[in-house]
Amino acid sequence: MGKSTTNWRTKIHEIIFGSDTPQGKNFDVALFIAILLSVLIVLLDSVASFHEKYGSQFLIAEWFFTILFSIEYILRIISSKRPSKYIFSFYGIIDLLAILPTYLSLVLVGSQYLIVIRVLRLLRVFRVLKLARYVRASAVLIIALKNSRHKIIVFLEVIFTLVVVMGSLMYLIEGPEHGFNSIPRSIYWAIVTLTTVGYGDIAPETFFGQALASVLMITGYAIIAVPTGIISVEMAKASQDNNKTCQNCDCEEHDDDAKYCKDCGKKLI
Amino acid sequence: MGKSTTNWRTKIHEIIFGSDTPQGKNFDVALFIAILLSVLIVLLDSVASFHEKYGSQFLIAEWFFTILFSIEYILRIISSKRPSKYIFSFYGIIDLLAILPTYLSLVLVGSQYLIVIRVLRLLRVFRVLKLARYVRASAVLIIALKNSRHKIIVFLEVIFTLVVVMGSLMYLIEGPEHGFNSIPRSIYWAIVTLTTVGYGDIAPETFFGQALASVLMITGYAIIAVPTGIISVEMAKASQDNNKTCQNCDCEEHDDDAKYCKDCGKKLI
Amino acid sequence: MGKSTTNWRTKIHEIIFGSDTPQGKNFDVALFIAILLSVLIVLLDSVASFHEKYGSQFLIAEWFFTILFSIEYILRIISSKRPSKYIFSFYGIIDLLAILPTYLSLVLVGSQYLIVIRVLRLLRVFRVLKLARYVRASAVLIIALKNSRHKIIVFLEVIFTLVVVMGSLMYLIEGPEHGFNSIPRSIYWAIVTLTTVGYGDIAPETFFGQALASVLMITGYAIIAVPTGIISVEMAKASQDNNKTCQNCDCEEHDDDAKYCKDCGKKLI
Amino acid sequence: MGKSTTNWRTKIHEIIFGSDTPQGKNFDVALFIAILLSVLIVLLDSVASFHEKYGSQFLIAEWFFTILFSIEYILRIISSKRPSKYIFSFYGIIDLLAILPTYLSLVLVGSQYLIVIRVLRLLRVFRVLKLARYVRASAVLIIALKNSRHKIIVFLEVIFTLVVVMGSLMYLIEGPEHGFNSIPRSIYWAIVTLTTVGYGDIAPETFFGQALASVLMITGYAIIAVPTGIISVEMAKASQDNNKTCQNCDCEEHDDDAKYCKDCGKKLI
C-alpha cells in the first residue's frame, strides 16, 4: 500500500476512533444519535400496537441502521492498525452483536428478538465521558469505587449469607401455603425485602413470619448505611487526592481554586 | 406621569416585589396564605364527594381567588419598570397560567380542570427562603448540588444505560405472558425495581427472571451509596467554604461561632 | 408539715424522679418493665383470637396496671415541690392519659379502645438515655439534627412542592379510571412513590403516567442523598465539637483517647 | 499418647483450624466448596419439580455430605487440645446442627426439613475474611460499627417507639375493616412503611389513614439519613485511625502509601 492509502486509513481512524478533531467529534455525535434512534425503534417495535401499525416502516429502519452499522464496523476493522485487537475488544464484540441478529433473522425465525442486544451499544455513551469536564468527575467516581472494592465484597458476603439464612428460615416458618414454595424463591423474597423493594407478590402471613420479616426489613433499612459510609469516605479521599499538591511541603488538601499552599504559603504549581 | 404617580408605582413595587419593608413582608405572607387556600380548594374540589356537596361554594371561592390573583397580576405589570421582563419571566408565566383556566372555562367546557396548574404558584414558597436564616442553608445546598452536577450526570447516564439494558433482557426472559409486554414497559419495571420503589404491578415469575431481578435489586440497593457519597462530600466542602476565612494565615475551616483563628490566633473579621 | 414528712417526700421524689441512687435506678427499671408489660397486654388484647381466649385475664391485668400507674401518678404529684408543674408537663399529661381510658370504660362503652394511648408511655424509654454512655451518643445526634434543621426545612419544602405538583399532573394524566380519583389521593401516590415505599395500591397504567412516574422515582432515589449529606456533615461537625479542646492552642479535633494536643504537644485537660 | 500421636494431632489441628499453611488453605477452600455444594442441594431439593425428578440423587448427595461433615466434626474434636471448648463454641454448635437432622430423619419423620439449618454453615464464609487483603477492610467496618453502637441503639429505640405508636394510631384510624385487624399487625405495617419496603398487602384506605401514612413515609425517607451519617462519620474516623502514625509529631492522617510524615517530614515507620 502506498503513502496515500496509509494517509487515508489514518484519516478514517482519526475520525472513527478519535474525538480530538472537529470531524471526530461530529462523527461521535452522529453515531450516538444513530444508536439512540436505532434503540428507540427496537423499543417502539416491541409495543404490540405500534408493531401492527408501523411494523414495515420499523423493518426498513432496522435494515437501514444494520447496514449503516455494518459499514461502520467494516471501516473500524480496515482503519485499525491491528484489526484483531479491535475485533476481540469489548466494544468490538458489542458492535458485531448489534448487527448480527438482523442478518440471522433471514435464516432463523425468531432471532430478530435478539436485536435488543443493540441496546448494549448504548454503552458507547461513556465515550461522551471523554469530554474534559466529565473526565475528572468519572475519575473520582472510579477511584472511589476501586478503593472501596474490598469493603464492598465483605459487605456483599454478609448480604449473601443473610438472605440465604433468612430465606431458608422463612421457608420453614411460612411454607408453600403462603407462597414460599421453595428455598430459592424464599431467598428471592429475602432479597426483595432486604433491598426495601417490596413487590408484595410474596409476603409473610403468619405472626412469626411477619416478626422475622420485620427484623430483616429493619436490618436492610439500617445496613444501607454501610456501603454509603464506605463510598462517602473513599469519595472524600479520592476527591482530595485529585487536588493540587504542594511541591514544598507535601501537603495535599488544597481547594480547587487555591493558588498558594495553605500550610507553607508557597505558590502551587 | 407626575412625581406622585412614580412614587405610587415605586411604593406598589416595593410592597409586591420586595420583602424588606414590613408591608412587603405582610404582603408576601398574605399572598402565600391566599395561594395555599386557592390550592386547597382545587384539591378538595377534585374529591367527588366534596364536589357534590360544596361544588357551588368552591366555584365562588375559585372566582374570588381568580379575581384576586388577576388584580395582583395587573398590579405587578403596572408597577414593573419593564413590564415585559416580568411578563416573560418564570414567575410571570406561572402567574398568568394560574388565572387563565378559570376565564377559559366560560368559553371552553372542561378547561376548568387546567386550574390544577395553579399548584405551580406554590413554587412561590421559595420566596420564603429569602428569610435570613434560610439564605445560608439553601446557599450550601445549591452550591453542593451545582458542584456535584457533573458526577450526578455521569451517575444518571449509568442508571439510564442500566435500566435500558436490564429492561430489554427481562423482556426477552419473562415476555408478555408475565406482564413484560413491551420493552418500554420492561424499562419502567427496571426503574421501579432499581429505585427500590417496587409497586409489584409487574413482577418476574420465572427462575431466571427472579435471578436477574435480584441482581438489579442489589445493584440498586448498593449504588444509592454513590449519589449519597457525591452529595455528602460536596456538602462538606460547601459547608466549609461558607465559613469565615482567616485574613492572616489563609486557613479556612473555622466554626460558625469562632472569634479567633484556630491556627494562628489572630482575630477573625 | 414536720421535718419527717418533708424527708419522706424528698425520699419519694428521689426514687421516682431521680435516677442517681440505687433505688432510683431500680424504680426506673421496674417502671419500664411494667410499661412494657402493660403495652404488651394492650397489643395482645387487640388480636381477636387472643381476646376470645384470654379476654378476662387481660382485663384483670389491665386493671392491675391501671391501679399501679394510678398510685405512681399520685405519688409523683405528692412528692413534687410544684405539683402543677408536673401535671401540665409532657410526661405528666401522658401519665394521666395512660390511666384515664380504663376508668372511663366503666362509664362510656367503647372508650376502652383509647387504652392504646398507653403506648405513649413507651416514650419513657428515653429516660434510659440518661445512662452515662448514651448521653454523649444522643447529644451528638440531637446537636446534628438541630444544626441541620434549616437545611432540612428547605428540603421538606422542595419535597412538599414536588409531590403537590406531581400529584396534580398525575391526576390530569391518569385520571379516576386508573385509581387516581382525586388530587389528594394522587398526592398520596406521589409520596408513596417519591419515598420509594411503593405499595402498588395505586400505580400508573398509561405510557405518559409511567414515564412521569419514572422521573419521580429516579428523583426520589437520587435526592435521598441530600438529607443524608446534610446529616453526615453536621454529625461529623457535632462529633468533633464534642471532643476535648486544647487549652493552649485552641485546636479542637482530638481523638477521644488523646492525652496530648496533636498540634502543640501540651497535655489535654 | 506418644510424641508421634501428638504430632499427628497437631498436624490435623493445623490443617483443619489453621489457614497459614498451604494445606490449611487448601482445606479451607475444599471445605467451603463442600459447604456451598451441600447448601445448593438443600436449595434445589426444596423446589418441588426438582425433588420429583432428582429426589433420590439428592438423598445420596445429602448422606455423602453428612458423612463427610461428620468425619470433619470428629476430627475437629480429636485434634482440639480442649475438645469441650470447640464443642460449645458458636461454630461447634453449628457444625453439629448441620449433621444432626439427616441422622434424625432415620428415626423421626419430617425432621429432614431441619436440614436447612445446614445453610448456617455458610457463615464459615467469614473465614475468608482472614485473607490478608480483607483483614484491613473488615477491621475498618467492624471498628466503625462498634464505635457507633451507642448511637445505633438510640436510633433503634426511636424507631421502635415510633412504629409502636404509629401502628397503634393506625389501628384506631383504619381498623380491622381495612386489614389493620390487630395492633401487632398494624405495627408490622408501620415497619413495612417506615423502612420503605411497602409490600402493599396492607395499605391505608381512609383519608386520615393515608395522611398519617404519608407522615410516616416521609419520616422513614428522611431519617435513613441518621444511621448513614453515624456510620459515615465513624468509618471516616476508623479509616484514619488505621493509618500510619508519625512517631515524631503524633500526627495521624497519613495516606496508605505515604513514606514521610506530611506535617514534619520525618520518615514514617
Side-chain angles (χ1 to χ4, degrees):
Chain A
M1 277 179 274
K3 200 185 171 190
S4 64
T5 325
T6 321
N7 279 351
W8 176 79
R9 279 176 58 195
T10 314
K11 188 75 194 157
I12 293 282
H13 187 269
E14 209 174 272
I15 293 170
I16 295 188
F17 285 93
S19 55
D20 302 324
T21 58
Q23 292 118 307
K25 271 183 195 163
N26 289 342
F27 178 83
D28 274 8
V29 171
L31 177 65
F32 192 62
I33 291 168
I35 293 173
L36 271 184
L37 283 176
S38 73
V39 166
L40 196 69
I41 281 158
V42 174
L43 297 197
L44 293 177
D45 194 35
S46 76
V47 182
S49 61
F50 286 161
H51 181 74
E52 260 171 59
K53 263 192 188 161
Y54 309 107
S56 51
Q57 284 94 322
F58 287 150
L59 195 68
I60 292 163
E62 198 182 299
W63 274 103
F64 170 75
F65 284 117
T66 303
I67 290 162
L68 198 76
F69 292 156
S70 303
I71 295 167
E72 182 217 340
Y73 184 65
I74 291 163
L75 283 177
R76 278 183 192 271
I77 293 176
I78 292 173
S79 70
S80 288
K81 270 163 202 158
R82 292 169 49 203
S84 66
K85 198 186 156 195
Y86 162 70
I87 292 171
F88 297 106
S89 72
F90 177 69
Y91 283 124
I93 292 165
I94 286 178
D95 289 351
L96 181 62
L97 287 175
I99 51 175
L100 267 191
T102 318
Y103 294 117
L104 275 176
S105 69
L106 294 176
V107 197
L108 288 157
V109 175
S111 63
Q112 74 273 17
Y113 287 118
L114 295 171
I115 196 69
V116 292
I117 291 165
R118 191 168 279 175
V119 297
L120 288 175
R121 287 210 87 192
L122 271 182
L123 293 172
R124 283 211 174 259
V125 73
F126 294 110
R127 285 181 64 90
V128 174
L129 304 184
K130 283 194 184 154
L131 289 171
R133 66 174 176 277
Y134 291 109
V135 170
R136 215 188 110 127
S138 42
V140 168
L141 289 182
I142 289 163
I143 290 169
L145 289 174
K146 215 174 145 191
N147 287 345
S148 52
R149 70 186 180 286
H150 293 314
K151 292 199 199 91
I152 293 289
I153 289 170
V154 171
F155 176 74
L156 287 178
E157 277 174 0
V158 175
I159 295 290
F160 175 74
T161 313
L162 198 63
V163 295
V164 172
V165 170
M166 283 304 227
S168 303
L169 282 175
M170 287 302 279
Y171 173 69
L172 286 185
I173 292 172
E174 291 279 329
E177 63 272 26
H178 297 127
F180 293 79
N181 49 26
S182 74
I183 298 183
R185 196 170 153 85
S186 299
I187 292 172
Y188 165 71
W189 167 87
I191 294 170
V192 168
T193 300
L194 187 85
T195 57
T196 76
V197 170
Y199 286 131
D201 50 350
I202 322 167
E205 280 165 57
T206 65
F207 177 77
F208 287 110
Q210 294 186 342
L212 196 67
S214 298
V215 171
L216 188 61
M217 281 177 236
I218 290 174
T219 307
Y221 182 64
I223 60 173
I224 180 67
V226 174
T228 307
I230 295 169
I231 301 280
S232 294
V233 170
E234 292 302 337
M235 214 162 274
K237 280 187 193 167
S239 183
Q240 286 168 6
D241 292 354
N242 223 6
N243 287 347
K244 295 168 193 167
T245 304
C246 176
Q247 303 292 320
N248 185 50
C249 71
D250 248 346
C251 108
E252 274 175 346
E253 302 181 23
H254 301 289
D255 291 325
D256 298 350
D257 52 350
K259 284 179 188 158
Y260 294 93
C261 170
K262 66 178 175 182
D263 268 18
C264 69
K266 294 270 166 179
K267 202 155 191 174
L268 292 171
I269 305 154
Chain B
M1 279 180 272
K3 199 185 173 190
S4 65
T5 324
T6 320
N7 279 350
W8 175 81
R9 279 177 59 195
T10 312
K11 187 76 196 158
I12 293 282
H13 188 269
E14 208 174 274
I15 293 170
I16 295 189
F17 285 94
S19 54
D20 303 323
T21 59
Q23 291 118 308
K25 270 182 195 163
N26 290 341
F27 178 82
D28 273 9
V29 171
L31 177 65
F32 191 62
I33 291 168
I35 292 173
L36 272 185
L37 283 177
S38 74
V39 167
L40 196 70
I41 281 159
V42 174
L43 297 197
L44 293 178
D45 194 35
S46 76
V47 182
S49 62
F50 287 161
H51 181 74
E52 260 172 57
K53 262 193 188 162
Y54 309 106
S56 51
Q57 284 94 321
F58 286 150
L59 194 69
I60 293 165
E62 198 182 298
W63 274 103
F64 170 74
F65 284 116
T66 303
I67 290 164
L68 199 77
F69 292 156
S70 303
I71 295 169
E72 182 218 341
Y73 183 67
I74 291 163
L75 283 177
R76 277 184 192 271
I77 294 176
I78 292 173
S79 69
S80 288
K81 269 162 203 159
R82 291 169 50 204
S84 66
K85 198 187 157 197
Y86 162 69
I87 291 171
F88 296 106
S89 71
F90 177 69
Y91 284 124
I93 292 164
I94 285 177
D95 289 351
L96 180 62
L97 286 174
I99 50 174
L100 266 191
T102 318
Y103 293 117
L104 274 175
S105 69
L106 294 176
V107 197
L108 288 158
V109 175
S111 63
Q112 73 273 17
Y113 288 117
L114 295 171
I115 198 68
V116 293
I117 292 165
R118 192 168 279 174
V119 297
L120 288 176
R121 285 211 88 191
L122 273 181
L123 293 172
R124 282 209 175 259
V125 74
F126 295 109
R127 285 181 65 90
V128 174
L129 304 183
K130 283 193 183 157
L131 289 172
R133 66 175 177 277
Y134 292 110
V135 169
R136 217 190 107 127
S138 42
V140 168
L141 289 182
I142 289 164
I143 290 169
L145 289 174
K146 215 174 144 189
N147 286 345
S148 52
R149 68 185 181 287
H150 294 313
K151 292 199 199 92
I152 294 289
I153 289 170
V154 171
F155 176 73
L156 288 178
E157 277 174 0
V158 175
I159 295 290
F160 175 75
T161 312
L162 198 63
V163 296
V164 172
V165 171
M166 283 304 226
S168 303
L169 282 174
M170 286 303 278
Y171 172 70
L172 286 184
I173 293 173
E174 292 278 329
E177 64 271 26
H178 297 127
F180 293 78
N181 49 27
S182 74
I183 298 183
R185 197 169 151 86
S186 300
I187 291 172
Y188 164 72
W189 168 86
I191 294 170
V192 168
T193 300
L194 187 85
T195 57
T196 78
V197 169
Y199 286 131
D201 49 351
I202 321 166
E205 280 165 56
T206 64
F207 177 78
F208 287 111
Q210 294 186 341
L212 195 68
S214 298
V215 171
L216 187 61
M217 282 179 236
I218 290 174
T219 308
Y221 182 65
I223 61 173
I224 181 68
V226 173
T228 307
I230 295 168
I231 302 280
S232 293
V233 170
E234 292 301 338
M235 215 163 275
K237 279 187 194 167
S239 183
Q240 285 169 6
D241 293 355
N242 223 5
N243 288 347
K244 295 168 193 165
T245 304
C246 175
Q247 303 293 318
N248 185 51
C249 72
D250 250 346
C251 106
E252 275 175 347
E253 301 182 25
H254 301 287
D255 291 326
D256 298 351
D257 52 351
K259 285 179 188 157
Y260 294 92
C261 171
K262 65 178 176 181
D263 268 18
C264 69
K266 294 271 166 179
K267 201 156 191 174
L268 292 171
I269 305 157
Chain C
M1 277 180 272
K3 200 187 171 188
S4 64
T5 326
T6 321
N7 280 350
W8 176 79
R9 281 176 58 195
T10 313
K11 188 74 196 158
I12 292 284
H13 187 269
E14 210 175 272
I15 293 170
I16 295 189
F17 284 95
S19 54
D20 302 325
T21 59
Q23 291 118 308
K25 271 182 193 162
N26 290 341
F27 177 83
D28 273 9
V29 171
L31 177 65
F32 191 61
I33 291 168
I35 293 173
L36 272 184
L37 284 176
S38 73
V39 167
L40 196 69
I41 281 158
V42 174
L43 298 197
L44 294 178
D45 194 35
S46 76
V47 182
S49 62
F50 287 161
H51 181 74
E52 260 172 57
K53 263 193 189 161
Y54 309 106
S56 51
Q57 283 95 319
F58 286 151
L59 193 69
I60 294 165
E62 197 182 300
W63 274 103
F64 170 74
F65 284 117
T66 303
I67 291 164
L68 198 77
F69 292 156
S70 303
I71 295 168
E72 182 218 341
Y73 184 66
I74 291 163
L75 284 177
R76 277 184 192 271
I77 294 177
I78 292 174
S79 69
S80 289
K81 270 163 202 158
R82 291 168 51 203
S84 65
K85 198 187 156 194
Y86 162 69
I87 292 171
F88 296 106
S89 71
F90 177 68
Y91 283 124
I93 292 165
I94 285 177
D95 289 351
L96 181 63
L97 286 174
I99 51 174
L100 266 191
T102 319
Y103 294 117
L104 275 176
S105 69
L106 294 176
V107 198
L108 289 158
V109 175
S111 62
Q112 73 272 18
Y113 288 118
L114 296 171
I115 197 67
V116 294
I117 292 165
R118 190 168 281 171
V119 297
L120 287 176
R121 285 211 89 192
L122 272 181
L123 293 172
R124 281 206 177 264
V125 74
F126 295 110
R127 285 180 65 89
V128 173
L129 304 184
K130 283 192 184 158
L131 289 172
R133 67 174 177 277
Y134 292 110
V135 170
R136 216 189 108 129
S138 43
V140 168
L141 289 181
I142 289 164
I143 290 169
L145 289 174
K146 215 173 142 190
N147 286 345
S148 52
R149 68 186 180 286
H150 293 314
K151 291 198 199 94
I152 293 289
I153 288 171
V154 171
F155 177 73
L156 288 178
E157 277 174 0
V158 174
I159 295 291
F160 175 75
T161 312
L162 198 63
V163 295
V164 172
V165 170
M166 283 304 226
S168 303
L169 282 174
M170 286 303 278
Y171 173 70
L172 286 184
I173 293 172
E174 291 278 329
E177 64 271 25
H178 297 127
F180 294 78
N181 48 27
S182 74
I183 299 182
R185 198 171 151 85
S186 301
I187 291 172
Y188 164 72
W189 168 87
I191 294 170
V192 168
T193 300
L194 187 84
T195 58
T196 77
V197 170
Y199 287 132
D201 50 350
I202 321 166
E205 281 165 56
T206 64
F207 177 77
F208 288 111
Q210 294 186 342
L212 196 66
S214 298
V215 172
L216 188 60
M217 281 179 238
I218 290 173
T219 308
Y221 182 66
I223 60 172
I224 181 67
V226 173
T228 307
I230 294 169
I231 301 280
S232 294
V233 170
E234 291 301 337
M235 215 162 275
K237 279 187 194 168
S239 182
Q240 286 169 5
D241 292 355
N242 223 6
N243 288 347
K244 295 169 193 163
T245 304
C246 175
Q247 302 295 318
N248 185 52
C249 72
D250 251 347
C251 106
E252 276 175 346
E253 301 182 25
H254 301 289
D255 292 325
D256 298 351
D257 53 351
K259 284 179 189 157
Y260 294 93
C261 170
K262 65 178 178 182
D263 267 19
C264 68
K266 294 270 166 180
K267 201 156 191 172
L268 292 171
I269 305 158
Chain D
M1 276 177 275
K3 200 186 170 190
S4 64
T5 325
T6 321
N7 279 352
W8 175 79
R9 281 176 58 195
T10 313
K11 188 74 196 159
I12 293 284
H13 187 270
E14 210 175 273
I15 293 170
I16 296 189
F17 285 94
S19 55
D20 302 324
T21 58
Q23 290 118 309
K25 271 183 195 162
N26 289 342
F27 178 83
D28 274 9
V29 171
L31 176 66
F32 191 61
I33 291 168
I35 293 174
L36 273 184
L37 283 176
S38 73
V39 166
L40 196 69
I41 282 159
V42 174
L43 297 197
L44 294 177
D45 194 35
S46 76
V47 182
S49 62
F50 287 161
H51 181 73
E52 260 172 58
K53 263 194 190 160
Y54 309 107
S56 50
Q57 284 96 318
F58 286 151
L59 194 67
I60 292 164
E62 198 182 299
W63 274 103
F64 170 74
F65 284 116
T66 303
I67 290 163
L68 198 78
F69 292 156
S70 303
I71 295 168
E72 181 218 343
Y73 183 65
I74 291 163
L75 284 177
R76 276 182 193 271
I77 293 177
I78 291 173
S79 69
S80 288
K81 270 161 203 159
R82 290 169 51 204
S84 65
K85 199 186 155 194
Y86 162 68
I87 292 171
F88 296 106
S89 71
F90 177 69
Y91 283 125
I93 292 165
I94 286 178
D95 288 352
L96 181 63
L97 287 175
I99 50 175
L100 266 191
T102 318
Y103 294 117
L104 275 176
S105 69
L106 294 176
V107 198
L108 290 158
V109 174
S111 62
Q112 73 273 17
Y113 288 117
L114 296 171
I115 198 66
V116 293
I117 293 165
R118 190 167 280 172
V119 297
L120 288 176
R121 285 211 91 192
L122 272 181
L123 293 172
R124 282 208 176 262
V125 74
F126 294 110
R127 285 180 65 90
V128 173
L129 304 183
K130 284 192 184 156
L131 288 172
R133 66 175 176 277
Y134 291 110
V135 170
R136 214 189 109 128
S138 42
V140 168
L141 290 181
I142 289 164
I143 290 169
L145 289 174
K146 215 173 144 190
N147 287 345
S148 53
R149 70 186 179 285
H150 293 314
K151 292 198 200 95
I152 294 288
I153 288 170
V154 171
F155 176 73
L156 287 178
E157 276 174 1
V158 175
I159 295 290
F160 175 75
T161 313
L162 198 62
V163 295
V164 172
V165 170
M166 283 303 227
S168 303
L169 282 175
M170 287 302 279
Y171 173 69
L172 286 184
I173 292 173
E174 291 277 329
E177 64 271 26
H178 297 127
F180 294 77
N181 49 26
S182 74
I183 298 183
R185 197 170 151 85
S186 300
I187 291 172
Y188 164 72
W189 168 85
I191 294 170
V192 168
T193 300
L194 187 85
T195 57
T196 77
V197 170
Y199 286 131
D201 49 350
I202 321 166
E205 280 164 57
T206 64
F207 177 78
F208 287 110
Q210 294 186 342
L212 196 66
S214 299
V215 171
L216 188 61
M217 281 178 237
I218 290 174
T219 307
Y221 182 65
I223 61 172
I224 181 67
V226 173
T228 307
I230 295 170
I231 301 279
S232 294
V233 170
E234 292 300 337
M235 214 163 275
K237 279 187 194 168
S239 183
Q240 285 170 6
D241 292 355
N242 223 7
N243 287 347
K244 295 169 194 166
T245 304
C246 175
Q247 302 294 318
N248 185 50
C249 73
D250 249 347
C251 109
E252 275 174 346
E253 302 182 24
H254 301 288
D255 290 327
D256 299 350
D257 52 349
K259 284 178 189 159
Y260 294 93
C261 171
K262 66 178 176 182
D263 268 18
C264 69
K266 294 269 165 180
K267 199 156 194 174
L268 292 172
I269 305 158

